[in-house]
């Protein structure tokens, strides 16, 4: 007597699977999600701020510490290692304010602060 085979999970119908694939294709064609006509979504704006600042400074940003929409596009605070030291808690960091237009293009940047990586913000 043959042992019974375990139950297999049911596959979605090929039509449903095809619709899911088509939906994925449409999403990838559209690129970054947009919030208003032509304005990139938050994730795309964050990447754009970091990538474009890296191109100008020649250093890749460590993090994006804030991002907010503005009337003209987006404004981000981007943290960059300016001078690497050992131990890394003594590395010199800089915070840059980056402004992006409605298309996600960098229109201005300004270094607003320098500090040691190990420094903790104090409440004032």
């Amino acid at each position: 007597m043959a042992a019974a085979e375990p139950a297999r999970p049911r596959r979605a119908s090929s039509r449903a699977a095809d619709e899911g694939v088509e939906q994925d294709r449409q999403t990838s064609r559209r690129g970054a999600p947009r919030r208003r006509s032509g304005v990139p979504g938050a994730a795309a704006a964050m990447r754009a701020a970091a990538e474009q600042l890296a191109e100008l400074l020649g250093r890749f940003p460590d993090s994006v510490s804030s991002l907010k929409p503005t009337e003209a596009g987006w404004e981000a605070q981007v943290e960059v290692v300016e001078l690497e030291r050992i131990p890394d808690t003594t590395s010199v960091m800089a915070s840059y304010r980056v402004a992006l237009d409605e298309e996600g293009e960098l229109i201005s940047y300004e270094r607003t602060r320098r500090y040691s990586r190990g420094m903790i913000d104090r409440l004032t």
Side-chain angles (χ1 to χ4, degrees):
M1 179 174 223
E5 284 188 32
R8 292 183 186 170
R10 294 182 71 180
R11 284 183 25 180
S13 71
S14 61
R15 181 177 177 204
D18 290 343
E19 288 172 0
V21 169
E22 182 60 29
Q23 210 170 30
D24 289 345
R25 282 189 196 132
Q26 288 175 356
T27 301
S28 65
R29 270 188 237 136
R30 284 185 288 221
R34 305 285 177 169
R35 61 185 182 103
R36 291 189 304 242
S37 62
V39 179
M46 208 159 101
R47 280 190 300 275
E51 290 170 1
Q52 292 176 65
L53 186 63
E55 189 175 330
L56 292 171
L57 297 178
R59 295 181 202 92
F60 199 76
D62 196 56
S63 64
V64 176
S65 57
S66 74
L67 179 72
K68 64 181 179 182
T70 64
E71 300 249 341
W74 292 94
E75 183 177 289
Q77 282 294 129
V78 182
E79 310 305 316
V80 176
V81 177
E82 290 212 328
L83 180 61
E84 288 191 51
R85 292 189 176 156
I86 298 174
D88 70 350
T89 55
T90 62
S91 293
V92 177
M93 304 289 293
S95 185
Y96 287 85
R97 180 182 306 123
V98 177
L100 303 174
D101 67 10
E102 289 184 351
E103 299 299 317
E105 294 296 316
L106 189 142
I107 54 175
S108 71
Y109 74 96
E110 171 187 17
R111 184 173 66 196
T112 58
R113 176 176 170 230
R114 288 184 82 180
Y115 59 97
S116 295
R117 183 189 291 265
M119 192 170 86
I120 298 173
D121 288 337
R122 295 186 181 145
L123 297 174
T124 55

